[in-house]
Amino acid sequence: MAAQTENPAERRWLGQLCRAVEQNLAPLLDSPAAVAPSLVTQVKRLLAGRLPLSSRCVSVSELLSTQRTACCCNLAWSTNQHREWTREAEQAAPKHRALPRTDLLLVGCLSAGRSCDERCWQVKDATGSVQCEVLEPSLDWLDQPMLFPGWNYIPHNAPGQHPSGYLELICSPVPVNPSPVSFDPGGLLSEAVGVKDAARQLRERPVAAGVRLCVSGEVSTVCPLLVIGGRSFFCFSLRAGGCSVPVLVTEPVCVRWRPCVCVGQRVCVSALRLCSLKGWKGHRVLSVTPQSRLVSDDRPITVEQASESPSPGTSDQRAEGEETDADTPPAVATVKSKRSKIISYKGVITEVTDEEAGLYVIDGKVGLCLAYQPMRRRGLRLGAEIELHNVHFLFRPSPHSLPTMLCACLRSSVHVTAFSRLGSEVSDPERSHGALPRFLLEKNLGVAEYLWLHHCCTAIRERLCPRWVRVKRVLAVAARLLENVCEEQRQQSRQIYREMMQEPHFCPLSQYSVCTPRCELLSVAQACDWLEQQCWSVPLASLLPASASHMTAAELNPALSWSFEPRSLQGRDVPAVLIGVLEVCSTSATLQLRDQSGCIDCVAVETSSTGDQRAAENTAWLGCLVCVRRCTLVVERFLKTNFPSWKHVSEEKHIIDRHCRVYLQLRLGEVCVLSPSAAMCQLIGGRSTAAVRAEETSDGGTSLDESRRGGKHRHEEDGAARDAKKPRMEAKQGVSFRNLHLSAGGSPGLSPSFVATATRLGGPLCWEKDPKNSPLESREADAERLTLELQFISSSVRWFPLLQPGSVYRLVALHSQDEGVFRVSSVCEKGLLSSPSLLVQPQWRVHTLAEKVPSVVNPKLLSVSEVLHCSSPADIVSFFGVLSQRITLPEEKGNPPAIQSLTRDKGVSLERNLQLRLTLEDAETAAHSLQVYLDLSRSPYTPGLVAGATVALHAFQRRVSRVKKVYCRSLPISCITVTALGSSLTRSCLPPPMMLLCEWVGPDVGQQCIAAVVKVHVVCVLHLMLQWTCSLCGSVCRQDRCGRTQPPCESTSGVFRAEAKVAVEDGTGEAHVFFSSETVAQLLLLDAAEWEGLQRQVKVKGYIRLYARGRSMVSDEDLDDPLLQFLCLLCSSISVCRPITLTCQLRSHRLGKHTHTHTHTHTHCLSTFCILRCRDPDEEVESRRSRFYHQNSVPSTAHLFPHQRALIHTHTHTHTHTSSAAHTHVYERCDPGISTLIIFSCWTRSTLDAIHFMHFIFSYLSHAFSYTTT
């Protein structure tokens, strides 16, 4: 053959071709001699008589071992044709490159494989085989030598694996030895019966044994190839007219038909037997036999067959495609359910979302899910054209997918009509785990659940891999998350025969739930961003109390300096969950929830068996991967503003600085553990660490502790001994920044540190393995107990949030056999030895033990009531209470930050010069309260100090003010801990007690109860002041102009202030009541329009003051003014002097001061009253009234009582002319004070006074109207 040409290059090429055929192809053939000449003939025929001298013949093994990148080959292409092909491919997908061209000549035999490999065809030669995909295969090609003129090679580049790949035959292979068709059907087509006759025979019973049918019809459905128990099979249906019959293919010699059977093709199948299936009772199918043959039926369709063929919109398809809610079972009535439609679709794959999960995008707008079919998806690459038949059309099945979704079940067929021209790597389906589809099959998930599970796996892979979760463990974690979020699955097990062959068709995709589970998986960074967005989207005006219009700039800006807002994950438009790892942070000394996107502080509490809450103390939670659903997300706003008045709150230019802090409040008992730490595994009942690790290793993964550490580190940790000791925590100080001497290598400067006092229960012991939190052994408590101080410095501070007084811990020093590492030391100062101390090293670990040590009494905390009435001279106290109010104290001007060097460090959680005043209520009696002054300028910020939280305060200084008021202030060693979460609304539902005035000021009650409801009668108005005040300087403002001249004030913003003092009595005692702002309008019974009109009248004068002289109201100004006369008569009328119900607050007041401070909250405007002296029950009421009438005027309280006075803040609830009406209103309580009471007498106005009052109102209104108009 080489001698027939004179070209040396051609002779060389032909010689190489002959040697390649002899080595690679000849061993597979019976007569290899004629193969080489026939191959040359076919090559020349393809190339119009030319030889591809630039091409090289390659074997299959050489192709697999040397070709590591995707490539394409086409012998018939010219260079220009390939350039045009490349240009079209890259124009369709601009971000991708077309397959590069290679000049390789591939010759081999097509084979259908053996055993379980029958599901795919192969190209093989003497050196090996490679799997291939064929567009339009033919059974006549099998086991014949073939020339492959056009193909794409797609490698599977898996690291550490043997090189592999597959071929995409873009052109039909050319037989090397073309010969006539050897298969003779022997009149098969003429003997074939129609589908209608075959269906009739399937329904007839009995059927004679040995009956074989030859059936001809159009293929309507083709099911994918299934491999169950090592046996491969598939089925298809033949249709003619309105009838169809299923054909089951189980014979190994016939399974190779699967690539050749396509929907719409007319075929004839012989030697079919009738059989019944165990898994499909009551139905019979046609099954192939070893003698069965499959041929294409190319005969023209008769007129009768054409009339019986269904149109593309048959009634069966319409009925199955209708959406309905009536078919929804009653158990899922709350979930909207729809029925899918059966359609056919043709398009181009524009995105491979997840090949292993079987998720694709077609034409950029239609999703495709192939997870309900077996994993055999070669050729489904980006840019491939596919044809789908009998797929389910779903509309908006999940928020995590495209609105339009196509899902393939076991009756659907996916056929590639044109391979992709783009170069893209694919995973090997034989080596991929297919974990998601396998889990779908095991749990019978619906479409929405499967799409949400895939979304979870993607999120976990991005946020937690590989730092905390190994890739092989992603599905296990996502599955636990799905079980925690979703309700129990009600899906029935899949019946494959029914799904493939039954009419009408029904499968898990026939009916689906819309947007279930409706839950969003947020990352930590997304949760923080959402909270910050919600924080600053709230108008600042909504953060102010109702009395904001009466507040000056000096009161307004501090009211905006701090506020908080709780949010719930379940309160979002779409409920959300958080997943992350619980860890401790050394810079903020807090517990944190972390993922790779960020971290967020956590205020965590644990719940005891009795339901009581306590601060988190178990270190086994560290390292646990948790799912948080029920929690409170808290955002605290910090604002520095200089608003001139409340009218300018919406102007951003007056905001100097603003920032916020976000954190979680969670109960660890409500947290779902997705992957426990090794210590948590020991804590879980009955499960040892070894059993858990063995289970996880069998699943291909490890625990979180192992996944975070490297293998070398684990080996060292398992082989090294440990020293351990057992301290019991007695007390701990707060974290603060101190200038401490660090060991070698430490950076100089201020470092976070704290000291904990502990009792050592036993001496150091050596362990072969890390004991972690294993039960306490008897040998660990043999030594003498010793009280010592544990010093935590720098990174060791991370253990602070989990060290709680009264708990027992095990301190472990890894990789050490020296017991001297736990040697305690004492320092001699001024001839005295200090307490033994131990410096905790950063690499040491702390484990919480569950045992309670006998003969050790837990340290007791005082209550708020006990602190108030403490008789001991101790200045340092530890107590607990419920936080009811938090006020940020104004920053002292001119003082630099306390720790200026650390305020510039972004890693330190520090607020500059932050000082707070906390109001704590007694946990049992809400009427007892105590004010605590807290300095956070020298310590990390403490989250969770919001209303409703129960806090424990350690080592606070108890002090008594000059007015005998008890309060506490923090020290550098003070520690505050949140021990229980709660809402301020929960406690505010308990109303203050109803009390008499004589009871309130008793020697004990006055200190214990600062808030109460009283039913009193207004005796007279002692003082009334109405004033417009400059919002900046506080001077009198007339007509929106400040009256200050030295120095001049240019402010044009004024606020209206109103104050009133009245005398009240309830039959047991009398008191002075102070009203302010809006409560004055309620006292005077003025509606909103009348109150606004009064403010406009006062704005002209700027200031009006009335006071009582005898039984009349007088003023220092001209009493002929109609406005003053109106106010005088109004204050003396029976409309004001009436029975009334008040909720009051008692506050201490400095001696000799006639001014008082009004307290404002977000919901109420308060007034104050002063209780003077308690009434003697032995005296006669009439005698006391007579003494009152003999006085010419009501004396001032400062003149009559040169001793302690008290102020009570009051809110008016109901105004009525009868003493029987009384309603209570809840308001938060302030601090207690000690007071006395004097006796006043009650007197009433006569009817004549009322007549004069009404007459004067009409004259005043007429005068005011004429004054306004002029």
Side-chain angles (χ1 to χ4, degrees):
M1 179 176 60
Q4 296 177 358
T5 177
E6 298 179 356
N7 191 336
E10 292 182 354
R11 286 199 300 271
R12 255 190 328 270
W13 187 87
L14 291 174
Q16 295 173 357
L17 178 64
C18 291
R19 288 192 294 273
V21 170
E22 182 179 355
Q23 295 175 1
N24 302 333
L25 195 59
L28 301 179
L29 303 177
D30 296 335
S31 54
V35 173
S38 300
L39 179 60
V40 173
T41 301
Q42 296 298 333
V43 170
K44 288 184 176 181
R45 185 177 63 83
L46 287 174
L47 300 180
R50 295 181 297 104
L51 292 177
L53 301 180
S54 60
S55 300
R56 179 176 62 89
C57 191
V58 64
S59 65
V60 173
S61 62
E62 182 182 2
L63 177 66
L64 293 175
S65 59
T66 59
Q67 190 66 38
R68 298 300 179 88
T69 60
C71 61
C72 66
C73 177
N74 197 318
L75 293 178
W77 281 350
S78 63
T79 302
N80 293 334
Q81 288 176 325
H82 179 262
R83 288 176 180 173
E84 182 65 20
W85 182 85
T86 301
R87 185 185 62 82
E88 293 176 356
E90 294 180 350
Q91 283 182 350
K95 296 182 180 180
H96 300 271
R97 306 282 297 180
L99 287 169
R101 185 181 181 184
T102 183
D103 292 330
L104 296 176
L105 186 64
L106 184 62
V107 182
C109 295
L110 277 177
S111 172
R114 298 183 300 275
S115 182
C116 295
D117 296 332
E118 295 146 350
R119 47 189 168 183
C120 58
W121 285 16
Q122 300 175 351
V123 174
K124 68 177 183 178
D125 59 11
T127 63
S129 61
V130 59
Q131 296 177 350
C132 67
E133 295 291 329
V134 190
L135 295 179
E136 297 179 357
S138 173
L139 294 175
D140 299 334
W141 296 345
L142 293 178
D143 302 325
Q144 297 295 325
M146 292 286 177
L147 169 65
F148 302 100
W151 45 270
N152 300 333
Y153 177 69
I154 309 299
H156 300 144
N157 294 329
Q161 299 289 341
H162 188 271
S164 62
Y166 74 97
L167 290 174
E168 296 175 348
L169 303 183
I170 56 179
C171 299
S172 298
V174 179
V176 175
N177 296 322
S179 59
V181 179
S182 59
F183 172 71
D184 183 10
L188 178 64
L189 297 178
S190 60
E191 299 176 359
V193 299
V195 174
K196 187 177 298 186
D197 294 338
R200 178 177 49 80
Q201 296 190 36
L202 286 176
R203 293 191 300 266
E204 291 179 354
R205 293 186 182 185
V207 178
V211 173
R212 298 293 185 267
L213 297 179
C214 179
V215 183
S216 174
E218 180 184 351
V219 179
S220 59
T221 62
V222 180
C223 302
L225 189 66
L226 303 179
V227 180
I228 299 178
R231 186 176 182 182
S232 303
F233 67 96
F234 77 97
C235 68
F236 61 94
S237 299
L238 297 178
R239 180 183 60 189
C243 298
S244 64
V245 292
V247 179
L248 182 63
V249 182
T250 56
E251 294 294 334
V253 70
C254 301
V255 172
R256 65 177 64 184
W257 297 354
R258 175 59 187 85
C260 303
V261 181
C262 300
V263 175
Q265 179 185 8
R266 292 187 59 83
V267 296
C268 180
V269 188
S270 63
L272 295 174
R273 63 186 179 92
L274 283 70
C275 64
S276 301
L277 300 176
K278 294 181 179 179
W280 196 24
K281 295 183 179 180
H283 298 81
R284 292 192 295 176
V285 298
L286 299 176
S287 178
V288 298
T289 60
Q291 295 78 27
S292 299
R293 296 294 182 269
L294 174 70
V295 296
S296 177
D297 187 0
D298 297 331
R299 295 177 300 174
I301 302 177
T302 63
V303 176
E304 182 180 358
Q305 292 174 339
S307 62
E308 294 179 353
S309 298
S311 60
T314 61
S315 59
D316 292 341
Q317 290 186 351
R318 288 196 302 268
E320 192 164 339
E322 291 179 355
E323 299 180 1
T324 175
D325 294 333
D327 299 332
T328 305
V332 291
T334 58
V335 180
K336 186 178 180 181
S337 183
K338 290 185 178 181
R339 297 203 63 184
S340 60
K341 297 181 180 180
I342 305 297
I343 66 170
S344 297
Y345 190 87
K346 185 175 183 180
V348 179
I349 297 178
T350 54
E351 180 184 347
V352 180
T353 306
D354 191 335
E355 182 181 6
E356 186 175 350
L359 298 176
Y360 305 84
V361 177
I362 309 175
D363 298 336
K365 56 184 178 181
V366 179
L368 175 62
C369 177
L370 302 180
Y372 289 82
Q373 285 194 344
M375 286 190 62
R376 182 191 170 273
R377 308 184 185 110
R378 293 188 180 90
L380 299 181
R381 297 187 297 113
L382 182 68
E385 299 179 8
I386 59 175
E387 191 175 277
L388 308 173
H389 293 281
N390 300 305
V391 292
H392 294 261
F393 173 83
L394 288 73
F395 184 68
R396 298 188 185 278
S398 171
H400 307 292
S401 66
L402 293 174
T404 303
M405 198 76 183
L406 299 178
C407 294
C409 64
L410 292 181
R411 198 173 188 177
S412 307
S413 59
V414 182
H415 179 61
V416 179
T417 58
F419 294 114
S420 173
R421 304 179 183 183
L422 304 175
S424 58
E425 297 181 358
V426 296
S427 61
D428 188 0
E430 302 297 333
R431 295 175 180 171
S432 61
H433 300 283
L436 275 171
R438 185 171 64 250
F439 185 80
L440 177 145
L441 182 63
E442 293 174 356
K443 300 297 183 180
N444 299 308
L445 299 180
V447 181
E449 287 81 3
Y450 179 75
L451 294 176
W452 193 84
L453 179 65
H454 174 263
H455 169 70
C456 292
C457 289
T458 304
I460 293 172
R461 195 177 296 112
E462 293 175 354
R463 302 167 188 174
L464 299 172
C465 291
R467 181 177 178 182
W468 291 291
V469 179
R470 298 180 63 180
V471 177
K472 294 182 179 180
R473 295 288 298 167
V474 169
L475 178 62
V477 173
R480 294 176 186 174
L481 178 62
L482 181 67
E483 293 175 359
N484 179 257
V485 172
C486 298
E487 299 178 357
E488 184 179 356
Q489 302 296 323
R490 291 178 295 273
Q491 295 282 349
Q492 299 179 355
S493 59
R494 296 178 68 178
Q495 301 179 7
I496 58 174
Y497 295 122
R498 176 186 177 187
E499 185 173 338
M500 291 189 297
M501 294 178 285
Q502 182 171 330
E503 293 290 349
H505 172 65
F506 183 83
C507 70
L509 298 174
S510 299
Q511 189 169 339
Y512 64 97
S513 301
V514 180
C515 298
T516 301
R518 190 174 174 84
C519 188
E520 184 178 0
L521 187 61
L522 291 180
S523 66
V524 173
Q526 289 174 342
C528 294
D529 294 342
W530 173 68
L531 280 176
E532 293 183 6
Q533 181 182 4
Q534 295 294 321
C535 166
W536 302 119
S537 63
V538 176
L540 295 183
S542 63
L543 305 179
L544 293 172
S547 59
S549 59
H550 304 283
M551 299 172 67
T552 62
E555 299 169 335
L556 179 68
N557 292 301
L560 290 173
S561 60
W562 178 86
S563 60
F564 81 100
E565 184 175 359
R567 294 276 181 171
S568 173
L569 290 176
Q570 303 302 316
R572 290 165 49 94
D573 295 337
V574 178
V577 297
L578 281 173
I579 59 171
V581 179
L582 290 175
E583 291 188 349
V584 283
C585 178
S586 60
T587 57
S588 61
T590 57
L591 185 68
Q592 291 184 339
L593 183 70
R594 292 174 176 264
D595 62 12
Q596 294 182 158
S597 67
C599 60
I600 184 172
D601 291 341
C602 298
V603 179
V605 297
E606 297 178 0
T607 305
S608 63
S609 57
T610 59
D612 298 330
Q613 296 183 15
R614 63 177 184 272
E617 62 181 11
N618 200 333
T619 57
W621 286 100
L622 300 181
C624 291
L625 177 63
V626 297
C627 166
V628 180
R629 294 185 66 189
R630 288 177 289 274
C631 70
T632 303
L633 293 87
V634 181
V635 54
E636 296 185 10
R637 307 178 189 87
F638 295 87
L639 281 169
K640 188 175 182 181
T641 60
N642 58 356
F643 292 112
S645 69
W646 65 276
K647 298 179 180 178
H648 302 82
V649 171
S650 59
E651 300 178 5
E652 294 284 341
K653 63 181 181 179
H654 298 291
I655 299 178
I656 300 175
D657 180 41
R658 67 178 181 183
H659 66 279
C660 65
R661 289 181 177 271
V662 297
Y663 56 89
L664 296 179
Q665 287 184 338
L666 53 90
R667 298 171 177 85
L668 293 177
E670 299 178 352
V671 170
C672 174
V673 179
L674 301 179
S675 183
S677 62
M680 182 60 71
C681 292
Q682 288 189 349
L683 192 63
I684 297 176
R687 300 189 61 186
S688 64
T689 305
V692 174
R693 288 185 176 180
E695 176 185 343
E696 292 180 344
T697 305
S698 64
D699 293 340
T702 60
S703 65
L704 277 180
D705 286 349
E706 294 178 345
S707 64
R708 286 197 303 272
R709 301 189 294 266
K712 180 179 178 181
H713 190 114
R714 290 197 303 269
H715 179 71
E716 292 177 355
E717 187 172 306
D718 292 340
R722 283 98 173 150
D723 286 340
K725 66 185 303 181
K726 288 66 60 186
R728 180 186 184 275
M729 205 61 55
E730 303 297 340
K732 69 174 179 178
Q733 300 178 4
V735 179
S736 61
F737 295 97
R738 299 180 176 92
N739 192 7
L740 301 172
H741 174 70
L742 300 179
S743 59
S747 59
L750 298 174
S751 301
S753 64
F754 75 95
V755 177
T757 303
T759 300
R760 190 184 67 182
L761 302 180
L765 295 176
C766 290
W767 299 72
E768 294 182 357
K769 294 183 179 181
D770 187 356
K772 291 184 173 60
N773 56 342
S774 59
L776 189 66
E777 298 183 2
S778 59
R779 65 187 181 115
E780 297 184 77
D782 293 340
E784 182 181 358
R785 295 180 178 179
L786 175 66
T787 301
L788 73 159
E789 292 183 351
L790 299 178
Q791 298 181 0
F792 296 82
I793 301 176
S794 189
S795 59
S796 299
V797 177
R798 67 184 185 274
W799 300 107
F800 175 80
L802 296 177
L803 297 180
Q804 307 301 339
S807 299
V808 181
Y809 300 88
R810 178 181 282 129
L811 192 60
V812 180
L814 299 177
H815 317 299
S816 175
Q817 299 180 359
D818 182 14
E819 297 182 1
V821 296
F822 290 131
R823 184 180 296 111
V824 298
S825 60
S826 300
V827 180
C828 182
E829 295 182 357
K830 298 180 180 182
L832 299 176
L833 289 176
S834 64
S835 300
S837 63
L838 175 64
L839 180 62
V840 179
Q841 300 299 322
Q843 66 273 17
W844 292 359
R845 297 184 180 179
V846 179
H847 297 284
T848 307
L849 302 183
E851 290 81 7
K852 299 300 180 182
V853 179
S855 70
V856 175
V857 180
N858 291 332
K860 181 179 181 300
L861 295 178
L862 301 177
S863 65
V864 171
S865 299
E866 293 173 339
V867 174
L868 292 174
H869 305 93
C870 182
S871 59
S872 63
D875 290 336
I876 307 301
V877 294
S878 297
F879 58 98
F880 71 99
V882 179
L883 182 59
S884 61
Q885 187 182 28
R886 166 175 168 170
I887 296 177
T888 302
L889 300 179
E891 181 179 348
E892 297 181 5
K893 297 183 179 179
N895 290 344
I899 309 179
Q900 190 170 1
S901 60
L902 287 179
T903 56
R904 295 191 296 266
D905 189 357
K906 296 182 180 179
V908 177
S909 177
L910 188 70
E911 291 291 336
R912 298 181 53 180
N913 286 352
L914 179 62
Q915 296 183 353
L916 308 176
R917 189 185 73 188
L918 307 179
T919 301
L920 296 185
E921 296 178 352
D922 194 284
E924 297 181 358
T925 306
H928 302 176
S929 67
L930 175 69
Q931 285 188 347
V932 180
Y933 293 88
L934 186 63
D935 185 2
L936 296 179
S937 60
R938 293 175 175 83
S939 61
Y941 185 76
T942 303
L945 300 182
V946 296
T950 302
V951 295
L953 300 95
H954 300 267
F956 274 71
Q957 184 180 18
R958 180 183 183 271
R959 305 189 67 174
V960 181
S961 67
R962 283 177 291 179
V963 294
K964 306 302 181 182
K965 175 184 176 183
V966 178
Y967 69 96
C968 293
R969 60 184 297 266
S970 63
L971 300 173
I973 62 173
S974 299
C975 173
I976 182 169
T977 305
V978 178
T979 59
L981 307 178
S983 173
S984 59
L985 299 178
T986 304
R987 291 182 57 84
S988 66
C989 293
L990 299 175
M994 180 75 70
M995 300 190 68
L996 299 176
L997 294 181
C998 64
E999 298 175 344
W1000 202 351
V1001 293
D1004 297 328
V1005 181
Q1007 179 72 9
Q1008 297 177 3
C1009 184
I1010 65 164
V1013 178
V1014 294
K1015 295 181 179 181
V1016 295
H1017 188 281
V1018 178
V1019 178
C1020 64
V1021 177
L1022 303 177
H1023 171 79
L1024 177 65
M1025 188 273 294
L1026 305 175
Q1027 177 180 339
W1028 279 91
T1029 305
C1030 177
S1031 62
L1032 291 182
C1033 65
S1035 302
V1036 177
C1037 184
R1038 296 180 178 87
Q1039 296 290 2
D1040 292 332
R1041 290 187 180 274
C1042 181
R1044 194 181 72 176
T1045 57
Q1046 294 297 331
C1049 179
E1050 303 296 335
S1051 173
T1052 59
S1053 300
V1055 294
F1056 183 73
R1057 293 294 189 88
E1059 295 179 2
K1061 181 173 70 172
V1062 302
V1064 299
E1065 64 91 20
D1066 65 349
T1068 65
E1070 297 181 352
H1072 287 178
V1073 184
F1074 288 83
F1075 293 80
S1076 62
S1077 299
E1078 295 294 340
T1079 53
V1080 176
Q1082 301 175 12
L1083 173 67
L1084 301 180
L1085 286 181
L1086 298 178
D1087 57 20
E1090 294 170 345
W1091 184 244
E1092 291 179 2
L1094 180 60
Q1095 295 179 35
R1096 288 194 298 267
Q1097 296 297 329
V1098 176
K1099 184 179 292 187
V1100 179
K1101 292 179 174 295
Y1103 176 79
I1104 291 179
R1105 179 176 177 267
L1106 300 176
Y1107 56 92
R1109 177 173 296 171
R1111 300 182 61 181
S1112 304
M1113 298 295 295
V1114 298
S1115 175
D1116 295 335
E1117 301 181 16
D1118 184 12
L1119 287 178
D1120 294 334
D1121 188 349
L1123 179 59
L1124 295 178
Q1125 296 179 11
F1126 166 72
L1127 292 176
C1128 290
L1129 289 182
L1130 179 62
C1131 294
S1132 303
S1133 67
I1134 60 175
S1135 299
V1136 175
C1137 301
R1138 67 188 187 278
I1140 196 171
T1141 301
L1142 306 174
T1143 299
C1144 310
Q1145 289 182 324
L1146 181 66
R1147 299 195 66 180
S1148 297
H1149 194 57
R1150 185 174 300 179
L1151 291 175
K1153 296 293 184 179
H1154 295 278
T1155 59
H1156 58 272
T1157 303
H1158 292 270
T1159 301
H1160 300 272
T1161 67
H1162 293 284
T1163 55
H1164 298 286
C1165 178
L1166 301 179
S1167 61
T1168 62
F1169 80 53
C1170 175
I1171 298 182
L1172 301 179
R1173 185 168 66 84
C1174 184
R1175 172 175 295 179
D1176 187 354
D1178 296 332
E1179 298 181 12
E1180 292 294 336
V1181 176
E1182 294 299 331
S1183 63
R1184 290 194 295 270
R1185 289 182 178 178
S1186 63
R1187 286 198 299 269
F1188 175 82
Y1189 281 118
H1190 281 91
Q1191 297 176 359
N1192 295 326
S1193 61
V1194 180
S1196 64
T1197 57
H1199 174 72
L1200 288 178
F1201 311 103
H1203 53 271
Q1204 169 69 33
R1205 300 196 310 166
L1207 297 179
I1208 295 185
H1209 286 230
T1210 313
H1211 178 72
T1212 305
H1213 303 290
T1214 58
H1215 305 274
T1216 173
H1217 294 283
T1218 61
S1219 58
S1220 59
H1223 299 280
T1224 60
H1225 185 81
V1226 179
Y1227 189 74
E1228 58 181 86
R1229 275 68 64 189
C1230 292
D1231 306 275
I1234 303 175
S1235 60
T1236 59
L1237 186 69
I1238 195 172
I1239 304 168
F1240 281 160
S1241 297
C1242 181
W1243 55 280
T1244 59
R1245 297 297 184 182
S1246 62
T1247 308
L1248 183 61
D1249 292 333
I1251 297 174
H1252 291 165
F1253 171 73
M1254 298 301 299
H1255 174 74
F1256 189 82
I1257 285 181
F1258 288 108
S1259 62
Y1260 168 76
L1261 292 178
S1262 59
H1263 183 272
F1265 179 79
S1266 61
Y1267 176 84
T1268 305
T1269 54
T1270 57

